[in-house]
Amino acid sequence: MTIGVIAVLRIQEGKGAEFEAFAGELAKQVRANEPGNLAYELTKSRTEPNTYKFLELYKDQDALTHHGGTDYFKAAGPKFAAVLAGRPEVEYLDGV
């Protein structure tokens, strides 16, 4: 069963360009190295300033677990911490 993830990230004022640079690089690594990832797209809200959403889709739980265990995802943690304006909101969805 496919698994969807929507991760809402609010970024500190003035840190958007820094965030977009490393988050975009992370997305490239995910797409290139995770065959179980079906979609990994960074989007920016049109209505909420400094708010971004990752829209993710995985073929199954194993693919999602693999994603969270990759070296590049773990390495991104401190970079996220330096720009976030609060705790991320993550929603997990089951495909139907």
Side-chain angles (χ1 to χ4, degrees), residues 1-7 30-31 34-41 54-61 63-64 67 91-96:
M1 174 184 349
T2 57
I3 297 174
V5 179
I6 300 172
V30 169
R31 288 188 214 107
E34 297 180 34
N37 173 265
L38 306 174
Y40 199 87
E41 191 68 35
F54 273 109
L55 308 177
E56 308 171 32
L57 188 62
Y58 299 89
K59 74 175 191 171
D60 55 24
Q61 182 61 49
L64 176 58
H67 168 68
E91 181 179 8
Y92 296 94
L93 309 156
D94 292 328
V96 293

Side-chain angles (χ1 to χ4, degrees), residues 14-77:
K15 300 277 187 168
E18 178 183 349
F19 169 73
E20 289 178 20
F22 76 77
E25 185 57 36
L26 174 63
K28 287 179 189 175
Q29 290 179 309
V30 169
R31 288 188 214 107
N33 297 302
E34 297 180 34
N37 173 265
L38 306 174
Y40 199 87
E41 191 68 35
L42 177 64
T43 64
K44 185 175 182 180
S45 176
R46 291 182 177 186
T47 58
E48 297 176 64
N50 302 312
T51 300
Y52 294 81
K53 296 179 184 183
F54 273 109
L55 308 177
E56 308 171 32
L57 188 62
Y58 299 89
K59 74 175 191 171
D60 55 24
Q61 182 61 49
D62 288 342
L64 176 58
T65 300
H66 172 74
H67 168 68
T70 61
D71 289 340
Y72 48 85
F73 183 78
K74 291 177 185 177

